């Protein structure tokens, strides 16, 4: 049993005396027992090495990853759900998949999404005490300035609604420099990271404390609610524009991390223009104001709202199966992104890896036993909306949430909403594989607490040890589209990937662009995904499942959204 998961635990307990001997004997017995349980499964698991070798050959010698990356990132760009670029990306990916020879390439609608939005242009400069251009981006779903405006700045720190009173009547016609003091730190750690053996082994131990933690914290809804309250207050106070910094402590250097600042809900007024400034530029303004000196800015921001964008789309296509064609193996990634970069590592990388995986399988003329279905989702950044709607339409759902604050909120991952009702198709999906952790190569799989698949994936991983794939962990990983499948009892998996510059530079930033992609990593990922999907499509049995999470009692008082 060469899996990293077991051997490492033993070494972790070093340093004790007698206890250690008793423990190691007990542990040995346990390992032998586990081995005796899983060895038959592991040993029996058939891995079709001949096809795996052909997949590797095609993926490493004839990769389409670079041109797919340029087509999506350079020629289309940032793909905020609800923006014209999102629809261009849906159309382009559908046509690419059809051109690979996949069947039933189409766009599947879902909604309501609310209003769409896109940034057209932005120019921000300091007029006094100095004349200087500033790096700035509009936060999504906020209005433009309606032409060029000039005004003085005032500092405000508003952490909750309790702070509103401090500023009432003092902000009209002003540019509000909003936010806590910001520390710009020198870059001490290497922004580029690959998982070391130590990192990987630290991933393995099961994190009991995290078990059963809800996938979406109540804070998520509370933050969204406060943003709506804040926008209402700022508009009520006739604030001209708000300028903010991006993070508590920013690596800065012109990299700005930007997401939403307004509401997609068409019943909520758009609010006031809100911009994210480069940390150094925001700090300069804040320092001058702190010295009691005046700052004047000039801004021209052109944004568009689209009221006809409430229906959004997922791109779907298939490689039809053979003797088990009514059964499915799915793979996917979210195609949408934030708007200031070109959505390269989040999640253009996952999208082109999945497209390349099915291109490889199709190009080899493989007829899988089960049908292979690829899905490229929209709405992920706004709460897994595209994949949740898809799962609700096809596989299962929980009772819908009520209340105006839940107008677009899916109930699939809200156990308090009630039990899951599955649809007949749910029983036909063997597994769903997702990639959404940046451009880094695959190092293993999160098992989402499904221990029975461990020996199966162990066998499937064997041919890729030379590519650095070595690790399985029982732990869950959250925050992306495999959770929509997991919620209705379909085995949904996300791969462990090397971080590269994901958190340090690219995740939701203006520097999330083509140049940050690591192409050899993406080729490796496409080969591994193609192989796992192929193994699942050819296997006699469907992959073993966990039980669906039972509903939780509805909280006594409805949670403050
Ligand atoms: Zn993502």
């Amino acid at each position: 049993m060469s899996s990293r998961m077991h051997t490492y635990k033993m070494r972790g307990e070093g340093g004790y005396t007698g206890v250690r001997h008793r423990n190691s004997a007990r542990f040995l017995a346990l390992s032998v027992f586990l081995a005796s349980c899983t060895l038959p499964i592991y040993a029996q698991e058939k891995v079709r090495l001949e096809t795996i070798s052909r997949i590797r050959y095609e993926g490493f010698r004839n990769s389409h990853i670079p041109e797919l990356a340029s087509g999506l990132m350079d020629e289309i760009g940032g793909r905020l759900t609800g923006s014209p670029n999102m629809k261009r990306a849906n159309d382009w990916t559908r046509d690419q998949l059809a051109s690979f020879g996949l069947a039933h390439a189409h766009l599947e609608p879902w909604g309501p999404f609310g209003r769409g939005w896109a940034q057209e242009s932005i120019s921000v400069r300091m007029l006094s005490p100095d004349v200087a251009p500033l790096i700035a981006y509009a936060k999504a779903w906020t209005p433009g300035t309606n032409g060029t405006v000039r005004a003085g700045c005032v500092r405000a720190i508003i952490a909750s609604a309790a702070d509103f009173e401090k500023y009432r009547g003092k902000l009209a016609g002003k540019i509000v420099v909003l936010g806590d003091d910001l520390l710009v730190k020198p870059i001490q750690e290497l922004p580029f990271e690959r998982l070391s053996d130590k990192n990987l082994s630290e991933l393995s131990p099961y994190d009991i404390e995290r078990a059963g933690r809800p996938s979406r914290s109540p804070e998520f809804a509370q933050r969204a609610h406060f943003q709506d309250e804040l926008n209402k207050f700022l508009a009520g106070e006739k604030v001209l524009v708000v300028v903010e910094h991006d993070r508590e402590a920013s690596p800065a250097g012109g990299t700005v991390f930007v997401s939403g600042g307004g509401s997609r809900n068409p019943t909520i007024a758009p609010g006031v223009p809100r911009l994210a400034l480069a940390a150094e530029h925001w700090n300069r303004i804040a320092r001058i104001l702190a010295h009691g000196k005046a700052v004047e800015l000039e801004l021209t921001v052109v944004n568009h709202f689209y009221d006809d964008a409430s229906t959004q789309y997922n791109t779907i296509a298939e490689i039809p199966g053979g003797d088990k064609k009514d059964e499915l193996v799915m793979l996917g990634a979210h195609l949408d992104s934030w708007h200031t970069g070109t959505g390269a590592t989040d999640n253009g990388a996952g999208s082109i890896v999945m497209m390349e995986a099915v291109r490889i399988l199709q190009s080899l003329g493989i007829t899988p036993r089960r049908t292979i279905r690829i899905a490229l989702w929209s709405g992920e950044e706004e709460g897994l909306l595209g994949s949740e709607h898809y799962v609700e339409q096809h596989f299962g759902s929980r009772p819908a949430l009520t209340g105006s604050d839940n107008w677009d909120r899916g109930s699939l991952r809200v156990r308090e909403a009630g039990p899951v009702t599955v649809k007949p198709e749910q029983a036909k999906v063997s597994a769903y594989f997702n990639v959404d952790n940046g451009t880094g190569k695959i190092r293993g799989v999160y098992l989402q607490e499904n221990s029975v698949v461990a020996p199966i994936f162990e066998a499937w991983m064997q041919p890729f040890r030379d590519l650095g794939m070595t690790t399985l962990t029982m732990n869950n990983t959250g925050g992306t589209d495999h959770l929509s499948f997991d919620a209705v009892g379909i085995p949904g998996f996300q791969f462990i990937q090397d971080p590269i510059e994901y958190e340090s530079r690219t995740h939701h930033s203006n520097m999330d662009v083509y140049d940050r992609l690591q192409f050899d990593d993406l080729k490796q990922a496409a080969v591994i995904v193609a192989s796992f999907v192929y193994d699942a499509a050819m296997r006699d049995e469907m992959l073993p499942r966990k039980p669906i999470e039972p509903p939780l009692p509805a909280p006594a008082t409805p949670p403050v959204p």
Side-chain angles (χ1 to χ4, degrees), residues 78 191 233 279 293 297 302 337 372 517 524 529 555:
F233 170 73
K293 304 257 172 52
L297 301 183
V302 181
S337 74
I372 293 171
L517 295 172
Q524 180 256 26
V529 169

Side-chain angles (χ1 to χ4, degrees), residues 15-65:
Y16 295 132
T17 54
V19 178
R20 187 174 61 201
H21 296 307
R22 242 196 333 280
N23 276 352
S24 50
R26 196 176 306 129
F27 185 78
L28 204 56
L30 177 67
S31 317
V32 170
F33 168 71
L34 274 176
S36 64
C37 304
T38 53
L39 201 54
I41 303 174
Y42 172 67
Q44 274 160 18
E45 193 56 32
K46 189 166 173 226
V47 178
R48 296 159 183 80
L49 290 175
E50 189 266 335
T51 306
I52 302 283
S53 313
R54 294 176 61 209
I55 290 172
R56 287 176 65 128
Y57 192 94
E58 175 64 24
F60 294 140
R61 304 292 180 82
N62 185 28
S63 176
H64 287 208
I65 287 271

Side-chain angles (χ1 to χ4, degrees), residues 357-380:
V358 290
R359 184 200 67 76
I360 291 170
L361 294 172
Q362 185 68 30
S363 73
L364 298 179
I366 287 169
T367 303
R369 300 179 67 194
R370 294 183 177 84
T371 295
I372 293 171
R373 183 182 292 172
I374 181 173
L376 301 173
W377 315 111
S378 53
E380 190 273 351

Side-chain angles (χ1 to χ4, degrees), residues 334 336 345-347 380-381 435-438 479-481 502 507-508:
H334 73 89
D336 68 299
T345 68
D346 191 14
N347 189 24
E380 190 273 351
E381 296 293 359
V435 165
D436 182 19
N437 260 336
T480 188
D481 297 296
Y502 201 51
H507 190 227
H508 300 176

Side-chain angles (χ1 to χ4, degrees), residues 271-282:
V272 302
R274 290 178 66 174
L275 315 180
L277 257 61
E280 299 89 338
H281 292 172
W282 188 91

